[in-house]
Amino acid sequence: MRTGLLATACLSAVLAGCAGPAAPAGPKSAPAADAKATPAPAAEAVAAAEDADRAGAPPAAQLLPGLARKEEQNSSEAMARQEAAVRAALETAQRWGLERPPLKAPPRPATRAALTPVQGVKLADGRPPVVYRVPTDDKVVFLTVDDGAEKDPEFSRMAEELGIPLSAYVSDYLARENYGYFRDLHAQGVEINNHTINHRNLKVLDYESQRQEICTQQDQLEQQIGARPRLFRPPYGEYNDDTLRAAASCGVEAVPLWNEEAFPDHMEWRYDDRKLHPGDIILTHFRGADIWKASMPDLLRKVLNEVTEQGFALARLDDYL
């Protein structure tokens, strides 16, 4: 009985955080080889609890019934928060006309993976890699939006409310009338990357002309957006070695191309299986009803329904590449 009472007192003291003050620090001496280490207060409490259990003493949940009630309350509150989040996601998806809420991408990689010459990646010494598909085991694909002609606030609002990651590739001749739109996109997490000044076919230009197209836009975006782009996409996907050499000379780290192209009413596929694959890059454009007879939210809705139906999530390309 005395042992049980002592165990109960020790356990209660530890659980309540009421252990006595530690002895003042003093010079340390090496323990004797055959001496037994003195157990720490927590270890004493555990040993005492085990003695108490063997002696038939009530468990800690009975000694401190408030603790059990608190754990039950916390569990109920967590479940309620989770259910509320699911309802909110469903309501947001329905408000934007989606068939179901988009899948959430895994956390961004701690480091970007080193690229190797596999399918979808082209490497050359001293040149930024050209990437059609990012090597990853994550079931993610990447949405990239080019040019900058249409500046639809509903598109940016839809992407923000749904938490959709994407990357933009901007040409100055289309963006310069309203760089504020792209600054706002950047503020909500969209990287604004380089798509040249005038959107010319770089393969027909000499090296210096290509360098002017690429590097001048690097400078312009750094000035307008406040961040120098790491990624560059050549107009029409057309490039040669001079393109890569010029891009490298002004700080470009990678050249993402694409495997699929998205429109408001259909997808175009590079491969005959007409399926997404982990790491695929999807191309689309800042276009509006004057060209597509549909809006950019219509476009995003088509992409999200397709991606979600195939069991993929959208991730941000800049986090992987």
Side-chain angles (χ1 to χ4, degrees):
M1 181 65 178
R2 182 181 177 187
T3 302
L5 290 175
L6 180 58
T8 298
C10 291
L11 179 59
S12 300
V14 172
L15 290 172
C18 299
K28 296 181 179 179
S29 58
D34 58 348
K36 293 182 179 179
T38 302
E44 288 179 343
V46 171
E50 292 173 348
D51 290 343
D53 287 341
R54 286 192 292 269
Q62 290 177 293
L63 292 171
L64 297 173
L67 179 62
R69 287 196 299 270
K70 184 66 174 177
E71 290 176 351
E72 182 179 352
Q73 180 182 357
N74 288 344
S75 177
S76 298
E77 290 174 353
M79 184 175 295
R81 286 195 299 270
Q82 184 177 6
E83 290 174 352
V86 170
R87 284 196 302 270
L90 181 59
E91 290 170 1
T92 303
Q94 291 173 339
R95 186 166 65 251
W96 287 106
L98 297 177
E99 296 171 2
R100 60 183 70 88
L103 300 176
K104 186 175 177 60
R108 60 183 293 179
T111 58
R112 297 182 182 95
L115 295 176
T116 57
V118 296
Q119 182 183 11
V121 178
K122 296 181 178 180
L123 301 179
D125 290 344
R127 308 292 189 261
V130 177
V131 182
Y132 294 82
R133 177 185 293 160
V134 176
T136 178
D137 293 328
D138 293 341
K139 202 167 183 184
V140 296
V141 293
F142 307 99
L143 179 62
T144 62
V145 192
D146 279 12
D147 298 351
E150 183 72 15
K151 304 164 187 68
D152 187 343
E154 285 296 285
F155 171 75
S156 57
R157 188 164 74 89
M158 181 180 181
E160 183 174 29
E161 289 188 6
L162 290 167
I164 303 304
L166 55 96
S167 300
Y169 295 79
V170 170
S171 290
D172 179 74
Y173 87 106
L174 292 171
R176 67 174 66 123
E177 68 182 31
N178 186 5
Y179 266 111
Y181 178 80
F182 300 100
R183 282 192 290 271
D184 290 344
L185 276 177
H186 186 258
Q188 70 185 52
V190 177
E191 290 298 325
I192 309 300
N193 293 304
N194 189 336
H195 200 43
T196 73
I197 286 285
N198 296 303
H199 203 273
R200 300 177 65 186
N201 182 347
L202 298 178
K203 284 181 70 173
V204 305
L205 303 180
D206 60 28
Y207 172 78
E208 286 302 330
S209 298
Q210 291 199 50
R211 192 174 188 281
Q212 182 177 2
E213 279 287 323
I214 300 168
C215 297
T216 305
Q217 182 66 342
Q218 286 285 92
D219 297 339
Q220 175 74 317
L221 288 174
E222 185 173 21
Q223 178 182 346
Q224 293 289 343
I225 306 300
R228 193 168 184 83
R230 297 176 44 257
L231 306 183
F232 158 71
R233 173 175 285 160
Y236 316 108
E238 297 288 347
Y239 72 96
N240 56 24
D241 187 65
D242 281 346
T243 311
L244 302 181
R245 187 161 59 97
S249 74
C250 48
V252 169
E253 297 179 16
V255 177
L257 295 182
W258 62 90
N259 275 333
E260 293 85 27
E261 184 170 359
F263 298 86
D265 60 348
H266 72 283
M267 299 277 288
E268 292 186 355
W269 309 88
R270 183 179 298 274
Y271 297 106
D272 291 339
D273 64 2
R274 301 176 65 83
K275 291 181 180 179
L276 297 169
H277 308 87
D280 272 2
I281 300 172
I282 302 171
L283 164 69
T284 192
H285 293 83
F286 288 98
R287 297 281 188 269
D290 57 332
I291 296 176
W292 276 341
K293 311 305 179 187
S295 68
M296 290 204 69
D298 293 332
L299 171 279
L300 186 54
R301 189 175 302 112
K302 171 62 179 176
V303 171
L304 289 173
N305 284 336
E306 185 73 47
V307 168
T308 305
E309 182 180 354
Q310 294 197 34
F312 285 83
L314 286 176
R316 196 175 71 153
L317 179 60
D318 308 74
D319 293 341
Y320 284 73
L321 190 57

